[in-house]
Amino acid sequence: MTDPNRRKFLEAAGSLATAASLTRKAHAADAPVGVALIGCGGMGTSHLKLLAKNPELKVVALSDVDSDRLAAAAQIVVEAGHAMPATHQDLRNVLDDKSVEAVWIATPDHWHAPAAILAARAGKHVYVEKPCSHNLREGRLMIEAARESGKVMQVGTQSRSTAHIIAAVERLKAGAIGDVLVAKAWNSQLRGNIGHASPGDPPPNLNFEAWLGPVPERPYQKNLLHSIWRFWYEFGVGDIGNDGVHDIDIARWGLGVQSHPSTVTAAGSKYFFDDDQQFPDTQYCIFEWPADGTVAHKRMLVYEQRDWSPYVQEGFENGNAFYGTRGMLILGKNGGWKLYGPRNKLIEEMSGGFDLAAHHQNFLDCIRSGNRPNADIEINHLSTSLCHLANIACRLGRVLHFEPAAEKVVGDDEADGMLRRTYREGHWAVPKGV
Ligand SMILES: NC(=O)c1ccc[n+]([C@@H]2O[C@H](COP(=O)([O-])OP(=O)(O)OC[C@H]3O[C@@H](n4cnc5c(N)ncnc54)[C@H](O)[C@@H]3O)[C@@H](O)[C@H]2O)c1
């Protein structure tokens, strides 16, 4: 005999499923969302391959300052059976195009905030890659641009839309391991040596001036780009802002902290690589959230980075550990998780991998519903700020005392000044208010 409660549940679930599929059908019947990709490099190409096969949208324009990459990206769209998109070296042409409703920004980090702010203020919904900003101040200005324009601003931390990670955080929030007092994030993998190089001429396919954009002028050299710009202060946020920010974001999410930390302690530098990269290859960082007068509110996040490890930690090259008062959970964003109780008894496990398509879908759903996306700019600003603060603490070799509401380093003007950057004077992309 069918349990009447279960039958009611199934009926309710059935009608919910029907409503969901009707909604999806209504969306599919809508005109496709016109989108553009800005930055057609490694990650841009991964996005484009998904965008080109999504019937809910239409790739109408592409932008890159490297003509070879722009041509290769256009080819992907055409090979997927679509009309040739408009191609532009100057991203302002994308922002002027009325058929572009949303942009995917997969440029180097120094362009994220300038491009995202201009795009939102031009009336485009924005999907911008992580780390959301090159420096902390830019993140705040991105939030303001998103809120003032009323546009969706999703950041590319796809773990926020990935089923096994959502499930893990649900377990943590439900108290499956008690109070989670400490979380750890690690990035332990083997990176490449970028060598030493001298200034030279950029290749003919690259508009290096446009690549620099709002960054002060400097000569080209071949170990600045592509992709390896992330190891230079002027352009990236180091590996902590590259792979590390994914793990830090998951750690902060599972820890349940929704503000900046009050204390940042960090050590690290180059222990391994003899090359031109500027950020640490080895980094240990500790972030503490205050007690608010009660012991039970204290939380700690620990980040470890070793870019010279030809082995993994706890089974994952990038991972998280959540330490609770009744158990622990070990997670790999590309792998799965295991939840242990007292005396290391395995209680539950789940496998899974990053779901980029789900993150795209969440962005599109929010464009239509007006809801805040899973990795809303305000969420990622908090996670990316941890990377910025840790880098400053490492570079100065000092503990930072941070005032979360004012976004200020207290009692250290030099560190506080590093929450911002210097821009190229008068450049059109310099965000207002920096
Ligand atoms: N979410 C993820 O899992 C993930 C994975 C890898 C990279 N990323 C992020 O994606 C971004 C790109 O990384 P990448 O490895 O693809 O770098 P990349 O250097 O390969 O690509 C960047 C592209 O942007 C182009 N570009 C630079 N300035 C431009 C401008 N003003 N207008 C248009 N195009 C411009 C470059 O020519 C290049 O083709 C980074 O922010 C990175 O952190 C995210």
Side-chain angles (χ1 to χ4, degrees):
M1 204 171 81
T2 315
D3 172 350
N5 287 333
R6 183 168 154 71
R7 201 176 55 232
K8 267 195 203 136
F9 168 78
L10 289 174
E11 281 166 9
S15 57
L16 275 180
T18 312
S21 68
L22 281 178
T23 317
R24 262 197 301 279
K25 275 188 201 133
H27 288 166
D30 286 341
V33 176
V35 306
L37 170 68
I38 300 174
C40 309
M43 192 59 195
T45 301
S46 300
H47 284 306
L48 191 57
K49 286 181 178 161
L50 283 176
L51 299 176
K53 64 179 188 198
N54 188 335
E56 290 192 41
L57 52 81
K58 182 170 179 225
V59 180
V60 292
L62 301 170
S63 173
D64 202 295
V65 296
D66 178 328
S67 56
D68 287 357
R69 289 188 151 195
L70 195 52
Q75 193 63 22
I76 291 173
V77 178
V78 171
E79 277 171 13
H82 304 293
M84 178 76 178
T87 52
H88 305 289
Q89 284 229 347
D90 189 329
L91 65 85
R92 285 175 292 182
N93 292 319
V94 172
L95 305 186
D96 287 344
D97 184 340
K98 297 275 178 288
S99 68
V100 175
E101 294 166 72
V103 291
W104 259 254
I105 300 171
T107 59
D109 303 349
H110 68 281
W111 262 111
H112 287 178
I117 291 169
L118 285 170
R121 297 211 182 275
K124 316 295 184 194
H125 298 285
V126 175
Y127 183 116
V128 59
E129 264 308 336
K130 47 47 52 175
C132 66
S133 58
H134 172 270
N135 56 80
L136 197 138
R137 176 68 188 151
E138 286 183 346
R140 175 56 48 194
L141 295 174
M142 292 169 87
I143 296 170
E144 287 173 10
R147 300 299 177 254
E148 285 165 22
S149 65
K151 295 294 156 187
V152 179
M153 200 178 279
Q154 168 95 300
V155 182
T157 39
Q158 58 269 32
S159 41
R160 291 272 175 172
S161 302
T162 291
H164 79 281
I165 302 174
I166 293 170
V169 174
E170 277 171 7
R171 302 296 188 280
L172 298 175
K173 289 200 188 312
I177 60 169
D179 287 335
V180 185
L181 303 186
V182 175
K184 191 159 76 173
W186 64 86
N187 174 21
S188 90
Q189 56 183 295
L190 185 57
R191 292 275 176 211
N193 186 310
I194 69 168
H196 296 283
S198 312
D201 289 331
N205 50 302
L206 177 72
N207 181 342
F208 184 60
E209 278 298 294
W211 186 90
L212 283 177
V215 170
E217 233 166 320
R218 60 149 294 149
Y220 169 85
Q221 66 185 60
K222 71 175 177 10
N223 64 354
L224 283 182
L225 69 155
H226 287 299
S227 186
I228 45 182
W229 44 262
R230 52 175 55 93
F231 302 114
W232 295 82
Y233 292 148
E234 292 285 286
F235 310 111
V237 185
D239 212 26
I240 190 174
N242 178 37
D243 259 350
V245 71
H246 285 293
D247 311 299
I248 284 177
D249 181 59
I250 296 167
R252 199 181 62 72
W253 188 15
L255 204 52
V257 287
Q258 287 159 25
S259 65
H260 292 295
S262 56
T263 314
V264 181
T265 312
S269 60
K270 286 174 67 177
Y271 282 42
F272 182 71
F273 288 108
D274 176 7
D275 63 3
D276 284 341
Q277 59 181 289
Q278 297 173 314
F279 282 100
D281 55 36
T282 307
Q283 213 168 6
Y284 281 71
C285 315
I286 300 172
F287 309 91
E288 281 183 284
W289 281 261
D292 293 338
T294 53
V295 170
H297 288 170
K298 273 193 173 178
R299 295 290 182 271
M300 180 188 285
L301 194 161
V302 181
Y303 173 73
E304 302 182 8
Q305 176 173 296
R306 294 175 304 281
D307 275 350
W308 35 264
S309 308
Y311 45 81
V312 300
Q313 181 176 325
E314 311 274 11
F316 306 111
E317 65 175 19
N318 287 78
N320 287 99
F322 296 93
Y323 302 111
T325 49
R326 290 204 307 272
M328 68 175 178
L329 188 146
I330 309 291
L331 178 148
K333 63 182 190 280
N334 254 328
W337 51 261
K338 289 186 175 174
L339 191 155
Y340 301 91
R343 286 176 292 283
N344 293 62
K345 182 170 186 274
L346 180 63
I347 295 180
E348 193 183 354
E349 61 188 308
M350 190 172 179
S351 59
F354 253 174
D355 194 344
L356 190 59
H359 207 45
H360 283 191
Q361 194 57 48
N362 171 251
F363 178 56
L364 290 170
D365 289 348
C366 291
I367 289 175
R368 288 178 165 138
S369 67
N371 291 340
R372 294 262 169 94
N374 290 342
D376 178 59
I377 179 62
E378 206 160 342
I379 291 173
N380 193 265
H381 172 58
L382 290 174
S383 300
T384 294
S385 293
L386 299 183
C387 307
H388 296 318
L389 292 169
N391 282 336
I392 295 170
C394 267
R395 281 176 77 175
L396 296 178
R398 294 199 282 269
V399 174
L400 306 185
H401 299 283
F402 197 64
E403 204 179 295
E407 299 193 323
K408 264 192 78 59
V409 180
V410 183
D412 189 334
D413 289 347
E414 189 180 9
D416 192 61
M418 291 167 77
L419 301 177
R420 296 167 157 75
R421 77 166 305 155
T422 304
Y423 295 88
R424 187 189 299 218
E425 222 181 299
H427 192 277
W428 54 266
V430 176
K432 290 197 174 44
V434 289

